Amino acid sequence: MAGKIKLSFQTRVFLTLLAICWILVGASMTFQYHREKDFKAKLLNSRLQMHNLRILEDLDQGEKIDDIVARIGSPVDELRITLIDNDGKVIYDNNDKTPFPIGNHNSRPEILKARTNGEGYAVDRLSENDEINYFYSAQLGENGIIVRSAVPYSHNLSEFLKADSSTFWIMAILTVIMSLIGFFATRRISLSIERLSKFAEKAEKGERIYSGESFPHDELGNIATNIVKLYIQRDEQHKEALRLEQDKVRLKKQLTNNINHELKTPVASILVCLDLLKDHPEISESKKEEYLDRMRANTLRLNSLLKDVSAITRMDEGREVIEKCDINLSALIHDIVDEEKLKTDIDIVVDIPELHIDGNRQLLESIFRNLIGNTIAYSGASQMTIKADSKGNFMVSDNGCGISSEHLPHIFERFYRIDKGRSRAAGGTGLGLSIVKNAILLHGGDIKATSINGLTFNFNLAVKNTI
């Protein structure tokens, strides 16, 4: 409906609690009201019954009713005394202002109760004789005669039988207090609900959610705070995953561009040599040999580039696609060093304990082959040292020329070269140290480089504990 009023959550809850509160208080007040009226009626009946019983006792002693009434007086003003026999006829009535009552009175409620239980009373019953409302109290005697006292409903009697108004005021004040407590309680609850609702709206619209969102310090507030924290954490994880994916795409694009650039030079050199050999068959044998050597060197460079690109691509695909097995790392390093010593005059010293690792043999080989190969190709060192402790902390150092400080932060970047001409002349692809870093990361470690009196690499690998 267009004109329908939409109440807030707090208003709905508060009105519900208020209704329950007022219903309970109203029921309690009604019960208390009737209970108090009944108590006062029974109290008045008790006083009248004592008077009735005294009359019956004096009648049993043979005294006349007029003398008894005149002698004992009345506990209340305007008390009307009647005697009713077994047949229900009134045989005495002290009220001389109205006609003498006639008819059968055994059907009156107070008389029926008296004949059944020995006594009875009726509250605010209209007298058929004088059309006045009375409070009746009847007592049965041993001879079947009933003494009935009747008090007319005057202002004093009505005030006496009325419930105490102070009870109503106390209950009213308690109800107001309970209503105020209910208001603040529902307001506290609604604060968490409203803020959680605003959070949901922001989340739906994709607006930024801040962790500083405050909620009341109660159970609902704690739940709401945890929901916001979980959402922010999940959102940050999603953004981080998206950023990593974008970085991955960017790196792949960069890698593709760099590969195209790196391929151009050797391919162009090979094509030039082939064209010269094809177009000039008359060139000397020494020139032909030179061109063939140049083509072979560029072919080897292309082959090395393709191997390095393949390794980088595999590592970019993630840990889950790289097969690992138990490898004796110490034996692997000694085998690599023994092979590399055949290619250089540099003294390579190995000082490592017995180490085992769950790893990929090809990637682990690439770590140490690239580090040793870089030292041989670029450092100009006379000695190289490979050290490790039992926890897998490695140090690979040389006493060569080192690297200047402005290049150190970039040496692990793909295709980064300190001296491009010298690197290409040495057959380098610019991917070696990038492969080293990624291979170490995939084996649970990290690497840093420092250049003081040579070049030093410090890195760690997640080796197995040895006994």
Side-chain angles (χ1 to χ4, degrees):
M1 295 176 63
K4 189 175 181 181
I5 300 175
K6 186 176 181 180
L7 300 177
S8 66
F9 174 80
Q10 179 192 356
T11 304
R12 295 197 304 273
V13 175
F14 175 66
L15 289 177
T16 302
L17 290 178
L18 197 63
I20 294 173
C21 175
W22 279 94
I23 289 171
L24 290 175
V25 170
S28 300
M29 290 176 67
T30 302
F31 172 76
Q32 182 65 23
Y33 173 80
H34 288 290
R35 182 181 178 185
E36 190 170 351
K37 284 194 68 175
D38 185 57
F39 170 76
K40 288 188 174 183
K42 287 181 178 179
L43 182 63
L44 177 60
N45 177 62
S46 178
R47 290 174 63 186
L48 296 177
Q49 292 293 358
M50 292 291 294
H51 188 71
N52 295 340
L53 187 60
R54 188 174 178 182
I55 293 173
L56 285 172
E57 289 176 351
D58 290 344
L59 284 174
D60 290 339
Q61 297 295 326
E63 290 189 49
K64 293 182 179 180
I65 184 64
D66 288 329
D67 295 337
I68 296 172
V69 172
R71 178 172 54 83
I72 64 176
S74 174
V76 295
D77 295 336
E78 302 181 17
L79 182 66
R80 183 177 179 180
I81 303 295
T82 54
L83 295 180
I84 300 168
D85 64 10
N86 281 323
D87 296 329
K89 293 181 179 180
V90 176
I91 57 177
Y92 173 79
D93 187 354
N94 69 337
N95 183 9
D96 54 2
K97 297 178 182 180
T98 59
F100 193 80
I102 59 174
N104 190 346
H105 284 63
N106 280 336
S107 61
R108 305 291 192 270
E110 68 277 4
I111 305 299
L112 286 173
K113 292 177 183 177
R115 293 199 180 282
T116 304
N117 304 318
E119 64 176 59
Y121 69 91
V123 181
D124 200 12
R125 185 175 68 78
L126 180 68
S127 171
E128 295 178 0
N129 186 44
D130 56 9
E131 296 184 352
I132 297 176
N133 289 334
Y134 286 91
F135 180 95
Y136 293 96
S137 179
Q139 179 77 33
L140 177 65
E142 293 182 358
N143 56 0
I145 292 177
I146 290 177
V147 177
R148 185 180 68 181
S149 301
V151 183
Y153 263 85
S154 63
H155 173 73
N156 291 336
L157 181 61
S158 299
E159 286 295 320
F160 174 77
L161 292 178
K162 187 172 66 174
D164 189 359
S165 61
S166 62
T167 304
F168 293 94
W169 284 111
I170 292 172
M171 295 298 289
I173 292 171
L174 288 176
T175 303
V176 172
I177 293 173
M178 292 172 64
S179 300
L180 290 174
I181 293 173
F183 172 79
F184 288 110
T186 54
R187 178 176 175 79
R188 190 176 182 86
I189 295 173
S190 69
L191 281 175
S192 296
I193 299 296
E194 288 175 4
R195 289 176 184 173
L196 199 56
S197 178
K198 290 180 181 177
F199 155 76
E201 290 177 2
K202 287 183 178 180
E204 185 179 2
K205 294 177 181 177
E207 297 179 6
R208 185 169 182 180
I209 309 295
Y210 295 94
S211 58
E213 193 75 23
S214 60
F215 291 91
H217 297 290
D218 53 25
E219 289 80 359
L220 184 58
N222 292 335
I223 293 172
T225 301
N226 290 331
I227 290 174
V228 173
K229 286 182 178 178
L230 287 173
Y231 174 84
I232 292 173
Q233 183 180 1
R234 193 211 64 168
D235 189 52
E236 288 177 349
Q237 290 174 348
H238 175 72
K239 289 179 179 177
E240 179 64 18
L242 184 61
R243 186 187 66 79
L244 290 174
E245 185 63 28
Q246 290 173 344
D247 287 346
K248 196 173 181 180
V249 172
R250 180 180 57 79
L251 287 173
K252 284 185 176 180
K253 185 177 180 180
Q254 183 183 3
L255 180 63
T256 302
N257 293 335
N258 287 332
I259 290 171
N260 289 334
H261 178 74
E262 292 296 325
L263 287 174
K264 288 179 181 179
T265 301
V267 169
S269 180
I270 292 171
L271 287 174
V272 168
C273 293
L274 286 174
D275 289 339
L276 288 171
L277 290 173
K278 180 181 178 183
D279 296 337
H280 302 280
E282 72 283 359
I283 61 176
S284 63
E285 291 296 325
S286 60
K287 279 291 183 181
K288 287 181 181 180
E289 192 70 27
E290 180 185 342
Y291 293 153
L292 289 172
D293 289 341
R294 188 179 298 175
M295 285 190 292
R296 184 177 185 280
N298 281 289
T299 303
L300 292 173
R301 183 181 170 191
L302 285 174
N303 184 58
S304 177
L305 178 62
L306 292 173
K307 285 182 179 179
D308 286 349
V309 169
S310 176
I312 286 287
T313 303
R314 287 179 60 210
M315 287 186 284
D316 282 344
E317 289 173 353
R319 298 172 184 266
E320 64 277 3
V321 298
I322 296 177
E323 296 181 0
K324 293 183 178 180
C325 61
D326 180 71
I327 294 173
N328 185 330
L329 190 57
S330 308
L332 175 68
I333 294 171
H334 280 288
D335 289 343
I336 294 171
V337 170
D338 290 341
E339 291 180 17
E340 295 297 329
K341 281 182 177 181
L342 300 176
K343 305 175 184 177
T344 182
D345 294 330
I346 296 176
D347 181 22
I348 304 176
V349 179
V350 179
D351 181 13
I352 57 175
E354 185 76 10
L355 298 173
H356 286 261
I357 186 172
D358 281 329
N360 181 275
R361 186 178 186 86
Q362 183 178 352
L363 294 180
L364 290 169
E365 283 186 1
S366 69
I367 294 172
F368 295 96
R369 289 192 185 278
N370 276 297
L371 292 176
I372 295 172
N374 276 6
T375 300
I376 293 172
Y378 309 119
S379 71
S382 60
Q383 187 179 61
M384 179 180 185
T385 304
I386 302 175
K387 288 185 177 182
D389 60 20
S390 59
K391 296 181 180 179
N393 297 310
F394 283 82
M395 183 183 73
V396 178
S397 61
D398 62 55
N399 61 353
C401 61
I403 298 174
S404 59
S405 58
E406 67 267 20
H407 293 297
L408 276 177
H410 306 287
I411 60 174
F412 296 109
E413 296 176 5
R414 298 176 183 182
F415 295 104
Y416 185 83
R417 290 186 175 90
I418 297 171
D419 185 343
K420 296 183 180 180
R422 184 183 172 196
S423 298
R424 287 195 176 95
T429 63
L431 292 172
L433 290 180
S434 178
I435 291 172
V436 169
K437 181 172 183 177
N438 282 277
I440 290 173
L441 290 173
L442 287 171
H443 287 85
D446 198 5
I447 185 171
K448 293 182 180 179
T450 57
S451 183
I452 302 175
N453 299 324
L455 185 61
T456 300
F457 293 97
N458 293 97
F459 60 93
N460 60 298
L461 295 173
V463 298
K464 295 181 179 179
N465 292 329
T466 55
I467 301 174

